[in-house]
Amino acid sequence: MAEKSTKPYLIRAIHEWCSDSNFTPYLSVKVDANTRVPMEFVKNGEIVLNICYDATHKLTIGNDLIQFAARFGGASRECSIPIEAVLGIFAKENGQGLFFPAESAPADAAAPAAQQDAPAPTPPTNGGKPKLQVVK
């Protein structure tokens, strides 16, 4: 059985911590062909999104995708973000959270679930442990 990535669990944990602490969770995303966000708000291939419950509708942080509807410039838009595209999640008020190493998106996002459950990328070889950065 393939080992599950910890990334979606960590994203959900920081989101819950922000909500419980009355902080605003922001999601930093590397935009690619599999990312559905309002492109007019993308800068340098990245977008930062407010994903608090008050700013989103039907927010779902799954193991493969983050999906929600939100208002951008007064218009409701559907967003779909592959977990691989998430660069970090942090609290707007104090900057605390987690940032993740950049990952390459799967070759075919429409592949069957059995193919998408491939093992997570191997950790960096500089010491053998992945590095997570706390933002202050």
Side-chain angles (χ1 to χ4, degrees), residues 29-47:
V29 178
K30 179 75 174 165
V31 177
D32 62 16
N34 298 319
T35 308
R36 277 192 10 211
V37 295
M39 296 306 287
E40 62 269 26
F41 296 99
V42 174
K43 291 191 171 98
N44 299 322
E46 296 181 13
I47 189 168

Side-chain angles (χ1 to χ4, degrees), residues 54-76:
D54 290 341
T56 61
H57 179 65
K58 295 185 180 179
L59 174 66
T60 305
I61 304 175
N63 288 345
D64 298 317
L65 282 175
I66 297 173
Q67 296 178 303
F68 59 90
R71 298 188 76 74
F72 295 87
S76 181

Side-chain angles (χ1 to χ4, degrees), residues 9 20 23-24 43-44 47 72 93 98:
Y9 298 92
D20 289 351
F23 293 147
T24 309
K43 291 191 171 98
N44 299 322
I47 189 168
F72 295 87
E93 291 76 7
L98 292 174

